[in-house]
Amino acid sequence: MLDIQLLRSQLDSVAARLADRGVVLDTTRFQALEAQRKELQIRTQDLQTRRNALSRQIGSLKAKGEDPAPVLAEVAGLGDALKAAEADLDALLATMNEFAAGIPNLPHESVPRGRAADDNVELRRWGTPRVFDFPVRDHVDLGAGLAGGLDFEAGARIAGARFTVMRGAVARLHRALGQFMLDVHTREHGYTEIYAPYLVNAESLFGTGQLPKFEEDLFRVPRARDGGGEGAAAPLYLIPTAEVPVTNLVRGEILAREALPLKFVCHTPCFRSEAGSYGKDTRGMIRQHQFDKVELVRIEHPDSAWAALEELTRHAETILERLELPYRRVVLCTGDMGFSAAKTYDLEVWLPAQHTYREISSCSCFDAFQARRMQARFRGERGKPELVHTLNGSGLAVGRTLVAVLENGQRADGAVVVPQALRGYMGGMEVIEPGS
RNA sequence: GGAUGGGUGGCAGAGUGGUCGAUUGCACCGGUCUUGAAAACCGGCAGUCCUUCGCGGGGCUCGUGGGUUCGAAUCCCACCCCAUCCGCCA
C-alpha cells in the first residue's frame, strides 16, 4: 500500500510513476473522494467533540448534585446527526481504503522503463551453455526414461493437469535440492530456517499483496462450521509462496531496532491456480499447481534494504553456481513487475531443450509497501515506530531447478550426471542411470 | 468436540459506568551526581488519524464487530484468539 499522504500531497507524480507501470490512476476520483473525506471528517469530529464535552459536563453536574436535565436535552439533539456522520465517514474511508489497496507499488528510480517482458534488461551472465553432440532431450523425456522418475500421467490421474509424481532417484534428487539449498542459506548465508503453515488467512495474503486483487490465482479452502450452513468460518488459502507466511511473521509487530535485519529461509510447497495461463508451459513441470520452493525473506531497516536486495540476489545466484547451472540476471522493467515490488531481479537458468533462459528465481525489494499493509514496524532512531522494509527471493524454485539439473546434466544414453554439490545428499550417487 | 480461565501501552500487571487513553513496575530516552560506569535521584515515554507554516487544538483505539447509555476498558450479544483439563487423533 502506498502512503496515503503521498497520494494527497503528490498525486500527479504518483500517477506519472504508475503510468510507467502501465497503470492508470484515477486522479479525478481520488480528489473527489479526498474532498468529501475532508469535509465529512471535520464535521464528524466536530460533533464528537461537542458530544464529549457535554457528556463530561453531565458527569460533573451529577457529581456536584446539580440537575443535568438541560444539558441532557442538548446532547440528545446531537445523536442522530452524529450517528449519520459517523456511518457516512466509515463508508467513505472504506471506499478510499479499497481504492488505495488496489494501487501497486511505485518502481524504484533504478528500474528501467518498459511495457512488458521484452523490455527487461539483462545485467549479467554466468556460465557457458553446454554444447551437445547428440539430440537434446527435455526433462519430460529424460524423466520418463529414468524408470518413470517423472510421471505426468500419474499426476494427472491423481489430481489433474499440472500435477506431477516423482519416483525413485528423481524424487530423491528433488529432496536433495531442497536440503542443499536450505543448508547453504542457513550455514553460509546466515538465514534462520523457518517451518510455517501452508494454509494462511486472508489478512496474511492482504499483507503481502496477493489479496484483494489476485484471489483468482489462489487455491481457496472453505471451512464449514458445525456441519456447515450459517456462520461458516473465514476461508483459508493454500500459500502461493512461503513469502506469505514468513513475511507475515512480523505483521502487527513493533520490533526493536537491534532485531533487524531478520533473515529467514523456508522450504515449502507452493500452490497456484495458474488461472489465465491456459496453454502456457503445458508440457512438463515448468508450470505446476504445486511445486516446492526455498524462499529467502528479509526484514530490513530502510537504510539497508537496497544493499540487502543485492546481497539476497547473490545468495540465490550462489545456488545456481554451485550446481554449475548457467544463468543470467535480468532486471524487470516497470511494466513487468509484480504488484507489490519496487524492484525485481529475475534469475533465469539455461534450459538446453528450450534453448533459452527460463525464470528460476525472482528477488524483490518491496520497500515499505508490504510493511504498511501489515503494519510491520520497528522502533526507530527517534524512538518512534517506523515501517520496516521487506524483501524476498526464491533461493530457488526447486521444481524448476530439478528440470535444469536433468536437462543440463544429461548424457547421450539418457543418464543424468549429478552435480558435485548434490552427491553428498544422494548417498554418493554420481549418475542417475536410465531405468534405475 | 466438552469444560474452565483469560485477551489492557515494548514487556509485566492494575483498573468493573463519568477528567481513565488508562495506577504501578521493568525496559527505553534525557538530566543531576561520577574521572568513567553502576547505583541513587529528577524528568520524559502507547499508537494512529484530522487540522495548522508552526505553537497548538481535536478525533479514534483497552482481541474484533455489534448493542445499551448523555457517557463504556468497565454492562449486554456474537465472533476470533490464547492457556489449562477431558475426549478424539497423526
Side-chain angles (χ1 to χ4, degrees):
Chain A
M1 197 134 74
L2 299 180
D3 186 356
I4 188 85
Q5 305 293 354
L6 194 68
L7 287 173
R8 285 179 187 142
S9 60
Q10 300 180 48
L11 188 60
D12 290 337
S13 90
V14 169
R17 292 173 69 186
L18 288 171
D20 286 341
R21 296 190 56 140
V23 170
V24 179
L25 185 66
D26 189 344
T27 55
T28 311
R29 171 142 189 263
F30 179 79
Q31 281 169 325
L33 288 171
E34 174 60 9
Q36 268 184 67
R37 189 226 100 225
K38 197 158 178 166
E39 192 264 316
L40 239 182
Q41 184 159 6
I42 289 172
R43 182 148 53 87
T44 306
Q45 293 191 355
D46 179 58
L47 286 167
Q48 287 169 330
T49 305
R50 282 158 61 195
R51 191 259 331 265
N52 291 346
L54 293 173
S55 289
R56 233 173 283 133
Q57 242 184 74
I58 293 166
S60 73
L61 283 176
K62 278 189 167 179
K64 283 186 281 189
E66 293 173 30
D67 179 17
V71 186
L72 230 42
E74 194 183 340
V75 79
L78 251 50
D80 287 348
L82 181 58
K83 273 214 167 70
E86 282 176 339
D88 290 352
L89 182 61
D90 281 354
L92 184 66
L93 289 178
T95 304
M96 291 190 79
N97 267 334
E98 210 174 297
F99 182 86
I103 301 173
N105 202 1
L106 300 176
H108 188 257
E109 304 87 74
S110 64
V111 173
R113 292 190 190 181
R115 284 184 45 251
D118 301 346
D119 301 315
N120 296 342
V121 177
E122 180 180 310
L123 297 180
R124 58 186 293 257
R125 285 188 187 205
W126 183 93
T128 312
R130 195 178 136 199
V131 179
F132 292 86
D133 54 7
F134 56 88
V136 175
R137 296 186 227 198
D138 75 358
H139 66 282
V140 180
D141 289 344
L142 282 166
L146 298 170
L150 274 182
D151 191 339
F152 297 96
E153 273 181 36
R157 181 166 63 249
I158 296 163
R162 296 198 191 284
F163 287 93
T164 305
V165 169
M166 287 178 255
R167 289 194 182 87
V170 174
R172 182 168 188 181
L173 182 64
H174 183 259
R175 172 161 59 93
L177 282 166
Q179 299 287 309
F180 165 69
M181 294 175 194
L182 232 27
D183 283 344
V184 171
H185 294 311
T186 55
R187 296 214 271 250
E188 299 178 36
H189 298 154
Y191 290 77
T192 301
E193 184 168 350
I194 300 289
Y195 174 85
Y198 300 161
L199 287 162
V200 294
N201 57 34
E203 289 77 11
S204 294
L205 287 155
F206 179 85
T208 34
Q210 284 81 10
L211 287 181
K213 269 195 134 171
F214 307 100
E215 177 158 16
E216 73 274 12
D217 296 334
L218 302 167
F219 284 107
R220 188 167 181 269
V221 182
R223 286 193 287 179
R225 177 194 302 289
D226 297 336
E230 281 292 299
L236 293 172
Y237 297 83
L238 283 163
I239 56 170
T241 157
E243 162 193 359
V244 178
V246 177
T247 309
N248 275 279
L249 243 25
V250 296
R251 173 152 58 90
E253 293 283 312
I254 299 179
L255 304 160
R257 190 170 184 272
E258 306 78 62
L260 301 177
L262 293 169
K263 297 164 67 180
F264 298 126
V265 59
C266 185
H267 176 195
T268 69
C270 303
F271 303 91
R272 301 187 181 177
S273 75
E274 294 297 343
S277 55
Y278 308 109
K280 231 196 249 174
D281 298 314
T282 48
R283 180 177 166 86
M285 56 185 291
I286 291 293
R287 192 174 301 276
Q288 298 277 288
H289 288 311
Q290 172 185 323
F291 62 95
D292 274 27
K293 183 157 58 70
V294 171
E295 185 76 358
L296 303 171
V297 173
R298 298 176 62 134
I299 313 296
E300 292 277 342
H301 188 285
D303 293 345
S304 62
W306 293 102
L309 176 62
E310 301 303 319
E311 189 182 89
L312 177 146
T313 307
R314 278 302 301 154
H315 290 158
E317 287 173 346
T318 298
I319 301 296
L320 287 160
E321 292 172 18
R322 297 279 178 88
L323 294 173
E324 304 158 61
L325 296 170
Y327 69 90
R328 61 175 194 166
R329 187 203 289 201
V330 164
V331 58
L332 298 194
C333 73
T334 49
D336 199 32
M337 286 196 301
F339 180 77
S340 303
K343 182 171 185 175
T344 299
Y345 293 123
D346 271 7
L347 302 182
E348 299 179 342
V349 70
W350 177 257
L351 293 187
Q354 296 190 12
H355 204 75
T356 187
Y357 289 95
R358 291 298 308 257
E359 178 186 342
I360 196 165
S361 170
S362 192
C363 303
S364 303
C365 178
F366 304 92
D367 55 49
F369 188 86
Q370 293 182 325
R372 192 171 291 111
R373 295 168 83 94
M374 291 191 299
Q375 282 303 295
R377 295 170 293 177
F378 70 100
R379 207 163 280 283
E381 287 67 24
R382 300 187 314 281
K384 287 284 159 198
E386 294 177 44
L387 296 168
V388 298
H389 282 199
T390 59
L391 298 94
N392 69 57
S394 351
L396 309 162
V398 179
R400 288 189 181 180
T401 309
L402 182 91
V403 169
V405 167
L406 294 179
E407 293 193 5
N408 282 283
Q410 66 182 294
R411 292 194 321 209
D413 62 358
V416 171
V417 177
V418 177
Q420 280 289 351
L422 294 179
R423 291 182 188 170
Y425 295 89
M426 297 289 289
M429 189 186 294
E430 293 176 14
V431 176
I432 303 177
E433 302 285 352
S436 67

